[in-house]
Amino acid sequence: MWTNLILSSCSNFYLNPFYISQTQSKNARNSIINPLSIICPLPNPISSIPKSNEDSKNSILESTTTPNPHTHLVISLNRLKSRTFITFEGKSEMGFENEAGSSSNSIPFPREDTPLLIKQKHQSSQVKTFANIFIAVVGSGVLGLPYTFMKSGWLFGVLTLFCVAYLTYYCMLLLVKTRRKLESLNGFAKITSFGDLGFAVCGPIGRVAVDIMIILSQAGFCVSYMIFIANTLVHLFNGTSGLELLGLTAKSWFIWGCFPFQLGFNAIPTLTHMAPLSIFADVLQLGSMGVVMGEDIVVYMKNRPVVQAFGGWNVLFYCVGVCVYAFEGIGMVLPLESEARDKVKFGTTLGLSMGFISLLYGGFGALGYFAFGSATMDIITTNIGSGPLSTIVQVGLCINLFFTFPLMMHPVYEVVERWLTEGRYCLWLRWVMVLGVCLVAMLVPNFADFLSLVGSSVCVALGFVLPAFFHLLVFKEEMGKGGMVLDGAIVVIGIMLGVSGTWTALMEIFATKA
């Protein structure tokens, strides 16, 4: 009803998206106007609102109050996920006015970047922002770092990890700066996700490019989860390692055992209902990592195996792929920045969080390699014995990734349902995608090799190439030659790393299968 009311008030103007209010300055009229932004007069808004809805009346009155006798309303029609978002210019629901990087005051519809726990009138402190960044970035990729350090050498692996961490941090800041620049231009609607930014910079092609990368990366994460769960269960049940039944290996049977339960969890329509699963999974992840690192120290003090610092340049691209995969939170940086209370200090908070994660990752990978040397397995938990503590840790990590699976698949569902069903919930489509993920997991034997493949082929594009490319397009008129060369270098290096790393990872996967 409200959509019809507002659009009927703009009936004389909505066909001309470049109509500019006479109350705007000459400079504003000459600035870039988003074709999705419409500025139109709203006749007598008080009489048009049903008297039974006092809260809505007050909201409209606050949004449309201007010093000009002709009341104007700025609305943005954002066609995101085949839903219409009506955005009012003025004080946002987060409590600040027209600040770059803020969330828009829009009619709330669930999106792939909708927070799991929604608290609409509260923003995150620096401590909470730090914690949110930590949770968004830390994932299953850390479990493949000891094996990667075994191949690359511990010193070479740690240095590569720190370089990837810094480049990821820098590209995250490029996304934030690009979003703030676009939102500072008069007429641009609020940009809340990576896909929105791609659309604002490159139009539909930009959104499609980001959407494809999100689908491949998120589905790739879930494939790696199923590989980890199946391989870990095979290790726990030693008697099943060589077992074949009806032509299927034990790994395949464990994946099929998880399949019906994943169908049930992936039928949950919204992220909000999955919030308890997310919190439970994060607690298990951190607890298991602590136990594994403690066990690594004990084993190293007993055995002190021979380790190497440098494994050769031929494993550079493989190592880069796994390290890029480990920092998997690039798609969440814009929503996290929107929810931060102190946006001026967001870059510092992001840097501190990424630095802490880098030290944690480096310590976890190095300790795992120091403890087991050349015997380090692709899944480090399979190295820590078969005692009760080891079993608890491995089962805990399996439960963590099992519950994380539907959370990571949700952005995929949002994009695919927008493409194929106009944004409507589609159960059978979700189940087909779960089936596809499980089938791919059966074909890939090695956990770390698949991490390198996903990290090189998809995460490099999302984490390095697209942020630098978008930043270059938006700031090309303002940057000097140095800035343009830097952005261009990141794009070129990212493409080179992506192509070479993908080829190296595929060779490792096929060599393992052979």
Side-chain angles (χ1 to χ4, degrees):
M1 182 183 70
W2 288 110
T3 304
N4 294 334
L5 170 64
I6 295 172
L7 292 182
S8 64
S9 302
C10 301
S11 59
N12 294 328
F13 302 96
Y14 75 94
L15 292 178
N16 183 4
F18 294 97
Y19 170 78
I20 306 298
S21 165
Q22 295 299 318
T23 63
Q24 291 181 291
S25 66
K26 181 178 180 180
N27 291 333
R29 292 198 298 271
N30 292 333
S31 61
I32 300 175
I33 304 299
N34 188 340
L36 297 182
S37 295
I38 305 171
I39 304 176
C40 59
L42 181 66
N44 197 3
I46 302 176
S47 62
S48 302
I49 302 172
K51 294 184 179 180
S52 60
N53 195 339
E54 294 296 326
D55 293 337
S56 296
K57 181 190 296 185
N58 294 335
S59 175
I60 294 291
L61 284 173
E62 179 182 359
S63 298
T64 60
T65 301
T66 67
N68 192 288
H70 300 284
T71 303
H72 287 76
L73 177 66
V74 179
I75 61 177
S76 300
L77 304 183
N78 298 332
R79 293 292 296 174
L80 304 177
K81 306 192 189 321
S82 297
R83 304 184 180 106
T84 301
F85 293 77
I86 303 178
T87 305
F88 299 90
E89 184 184 65
K91 188 175 182 181
S92 75
E93 60 191 28
M94 293 301 179
F96 52 87
E97 295 184 1
N98 296 329
E99 182 174 348
S102 64
S103 299
S104 59
N105 186 17
S106 55
I107 296 176
F109 288 92
R111 301 162 45 83
E112 79 264 19
D113 52 15
T114 300
L116 295 179
L117 300 177
I118 300 176
K119 297 181 180 180
Q120 288 190 346
K121 294 188 178 180
H122 299 280
Q123 289 188 286
S124 301
S125 64
Q126 282 186 272
V127 174
K128 187 176 180 180
T129 300
F130 182 96
N132 286 338
I133 294 170
F134 182 87
I135 292 171
V137 173
V138 175
S140 63
V142 66
L143 301 173
L145 288 176
Y147 178 79
T148 303
F149 286 8
M150 185 268 293
K151 295 174 72 71
S152 66
W154 68 269
L155 181 59
F156 187 63
V158 168
L159 292 177
T160 303
L161 178 73
F162 287 166
C163 290
V164 168
Y166 178 78
L167 188 56
T168 301
Y169 162 72
Y170 179 79
C171 289
M172 285 179 172
L173 290 183
L174 291 185
L175 285 181
V176 173
K177 292 177 181 177
T178 303
R179 191 259 293 274
R180 288 179 176 176
K181 173 65 175 179
L182 290 175
E183 289 188 342
S184 68
L185 299 176
N186 186 41
F188 268 89
K190 297 298 180 183
I191 299 170
T192 57
S193 70
F194 205 159
D196 294 350
L197 185 64
F199 180 80
V201 177
C202 299
I205 295 178
R207 178 180 292 282
V208 170
V210 174
D211 285 348
I212 291 175
M213 293 297 105
I214 287 176
I215 290 174
L216 294 177
S217 62
Q218 298 295 116
F221 297 155
C222 293
V223 170
S224 69
Y225 297 166
M226 297 306 295
I227 296 172
F228 178 92
I229 292 171
N231 287 350
T232 300
L233 292 177
V234 169
H235 173 74
L236 288 175
F237 298 96
N238 290 322
T240 65
S241 57
L243 179 65
E244 284 196 16
L245 183 62
L246 300 178
L248 296 177
T249 63
K251 172 188 172 183
S252 298
W253 279 111
F254 282 123
I255 291 176
W256 282 122
C258 295
F259 178 69
F261 297 99
Q262 285 297 343
L263 293 182
F265 282 114
N266 283 268
I268 299 175
T270 65
L271 282 174
T272 303
H273 298 150
M274 299 182 191
L277 298 181
S278 174
I279 297 171
F280 179 64
D282 290 330
V283 171
L284 287 176
Q285 168 91 7
L286 295 176
S288 299
M289 286 179 62
V291 172
V292 170
M293 293 178 73
E295 185 72 15
D296 289 342
I297 294 174
V298 172
V299 173
Y300 173 72
M301 297 302 293
K302 290 181 179 179
N303 300 332
R304 296 183 181 274
V306 177
V307 296
Q308 60 180 352
F310 181 75
W313 291 103
N314 59 317
V315 294
L316 170 64
F317 298 116
Y318 182 95
C319 183
V320 168
V322 175
C323 293
V324 172
Y325 180 102
F327 295 98
E328 60 189 54
I330 186 72
M332 287 300 297
V333 67
L334 294 182
L336 289 173
E337 195 265 349
S338 293
E339 295 300 318
R341 182 184 304 156
D342 191 345
K343 291 176 174 53
V344 175
K345 296 181 180 179
F346 177 79
T348 301
T349 306
L350 177 63
L352 292 174
S353 184
M354 291 293 290
F356 177 75
I357 293 169
S358 301
L359 293 175
L360 178 65
Y361 277 6
F364 186 89
L367 285 175
Y369 176 42
F370 286 163
F372 302 103
S374 59
T376 304
M377 304 292 289
D378 63 315
I379 300 176
I380 186 60
T381 52
T382 59
N383 280 110
I384 60 177
S386 57
L389 182 61
S390 171
T391 301
I392 291 173
V393 169
Q394 293 180 72
V395 171
L397 285 172
C398 288
I399 294 173
N400 161 41
L401 298 182
F402 183 86
F403 286 135
T404 305
F405 185 105
L407 296 169
M408 300 303 284
M409 285 296 292
H410 197 82
V412 178
Y413 301 145
E414 288 282 347
V415 173
V416 175
E417 287 172 351
R418 171 161 50 83
W419 285 357
L420 302 181
T421 64
E422 298 183 349
R424 294 188 299 273
Y425 173 85
C426 183
L427 180 61
W428 70 265
L429 190 59
R430 296 186 175 207
W431 283 4
V432 167
M433 286 186 278
V434 173
L435 175 62
V437 167
C438 292
L439 291 177
V440 173
M442 293 180 193
L443 300 176
V444 182
N446 188 285
F447 175 71
D449 291 346
F450 191 77
L451 299 190
S452 180
L453 176 63
V454 175
S456 299
S457 61
V458 180
C459 294
V460 165
L462 270 179
F464 303 154
V465 176
L466 291 180
F469 182 65
F470 291 162
H471 184 266
L472 178 62
L473 291 181
V474 173
F475 285 90
K476 61 183 178 181
E477 303 295 336
E478 305 174 20
M479 288 192 303
K481 290 184 179 180
M484 296 181 68
V485 169
L486 180 59
D487 282 351
I490 294 175
V491 172
V492 172
I493 292 174
I495 293 174
M496 292 175 58
L497 289 175
V499 173
S500 302
T502 300
W503 176 259
T504 302
L506 287 173
M507 292 299 100
E508 290 286 341
I509 291 173
F510 290 130
T512 304
K513 290 193 69 174

